[in-house]
Amino acid sequence: MGKPIAVSPLSRPLPDLSTVAGVRLSAVAAGVRYQGRTDLMLAEFAPGTVVAGVYTRNACPGAPILWCRQAQTTPYARALLVNAGNANVFTGRAGIQACEDCADAVSAMFDCPPQDVFLASTGVIGEKLPQQRIIDALPAAQAGLDENNWEQAARAIMTTDTFPKAARRDVTINGTPVRLQGIAKGSGMVAPDMATMLAYVATDAKIPQNILQSLLSAGCAKSFNSITVDSDTSTSDMLVLFATGLADNEPVTGPHDPALIEFTEALNDLLLELAILVVRDGEGATKQIRVDVTGAESDFSAHRIALSIANSPLVKTAIAGEDANWGRVVMAVGKSGEPADRDRLSVAMGGTWIAREGGVVENYDEAPVVAHMKGQDIEITVDLGLGDGQARVWTCDLTHGYIDINGSYRS
């Protein structure tokens, strides 16, 4: 990277982080690409930890994605190894070999099968991963493992991120206290279909893999798959949930077991918090934008329309310029390819209805909308007037900072 990137004006401080029973982490400098900072994160999980994951749908995934998909065919995880600076994408057989070498080295340290080691890489595409640097750094990473190193781990996996991202929840399952804690990275190349970020959540709850996977997939749909920064779905991204089982709660029977209601709500809330932190760190972002669509023919249709608005460069630049140009929102609805009727369409910004059923509201006063546009948290609401479908997505504005960051990413 070139010159340092200023911290996003939308940044949030880390919450009060704690420990998760059965999880130890470390962060070291392996020199994969960056100099003078940590760039390798290692996590160790207690034997018997089960794992669930959701991965990018990009058709050109990196070698670590292929590795993790295969690793997840068995229910267990003993370690997670993540490097920043090199994505290990579009590297052919060399990329697969790098994964095999790293997994073998970690599995030897923890005396576990290589498929119990999960791998991730984030950074530049198309450059061979210098896996020997990573392997050489593993003894220091193992020596530094500590249950309190969550912040250090969050910082080690950052690329163009300007602040570390983490969240925590404490709940109960059948009266047994359990904890969820997670970290994420992501700033650009962020779009739905599990992209573009890395997110890792751990819990001490005892939940079978099939139930854990069901809960994670459902929670992802309304969080990480409902955010976008630039509409670009990454090649490397994943959301992985590790459950150590050390809380030793009573067994649960399925994802809809009443005993899991509190846990499920906490998981969904934590995933959404992490996802919104990614949006708030969008490259060059100065404003967070929430887009609500109601009255669509279906929830699926509403989601597509919301994304059409959230991904529109014209909408995003108008908001960056604090211009309440609602006509651009109408344009984005119309280009979505979903059912829409101009004469039933209504648009609001900041809770003020600007247009109703195809026309400007009589005696519309733009002053409250102008005031809303000067804030950091922008709300856009669209009602199609066609049915009961609804959706909510989050995005950020588009500024020259995005060009500055991405124009010099490899230099």
Side-chain angles (χ1 to χ4, degrees), residues 118-197:
F118 282 69
L119 304 172
S121 298
T122 178
V124 174
I125 292 172
E127 296 182 359
K128 291 183 178 180
L129 183 71
Q131 68 261 40
Q132 194 57 49
R133 298 181 193 175
I134 294 173
I135 294 169
D136 289 345
L138 285 178
Q142 184 181 26
L145 288 168
D146 190 279
E147 61 182 4
N148 291 300
N149 280 344
W150 284 86
E151 178 178 351
Q152 292 86 334
R155 292 185 181 278
I157 63 176
M158 292 166 55
T159 52
T160 57
D161 303 65
T162 68
F163 63 92
K165 304 163 183 68
R168 169 189 166 188
R169 298 291 186 275
D170 292 284
V171 293
T172 62
I173 297 177
N174 276 330
T176 301
V178 299
R179 175 167 295 149
L180 294 119
Q181 191 157 275
I183 59 176
K185 65 81 52 183
S187 185
M189 204 188 291
V190 175
D193 290 334
M194 187 71 301
T196 176
M197 33 55 64

Side-chain angles (χ1 to χ4, degrees), residues 32 41 95 137 173 185 196-197 223 255 282 317 329 362:
V32 173
M41 182 268 277
I173 297 177
K185 65 81 52 183
T196 176
M197 33 55 64
S223 57
T317 50
V329 176
E362 187 175 355

Side-chain angles (χ1 to χ4, degrees), residues 288-362:
Q288 176 189 304
I289 306 165
R290 192 184 80 193
V291 180
D292 288 302
V293 173
T294 60
E297 286 196 347
S298 65
D299 290 349
F300 176 80
S301 180
H303 191 72
R304 283 176 56 89
I305 291 168
L307 288 174
S308 181
I309 297 167
N311 282 325
S312 168
L314 287 176
V315 171
K316 292 157 72 75
T317 50
I319 292 174
E322 301 181 347
D323 179 9
N325 192 338
W326 60 276
R328 294 183 175 181
V329 176
V330 174
M331 173 278 302
V333 172
K335 76 167 187 174
S336 69
E338 292 298 313
D341 184 336
R342 178 198 62 200
D343 296 330
R344 297 187 184 184
L345 186 64
S346 301
V347 179
M349 290 184 172
T352 299
W353 289 100
I354 301 170
R356 283 281 197 184
E357 298 179 348
V360 179
V361 171
E362 187 175 355

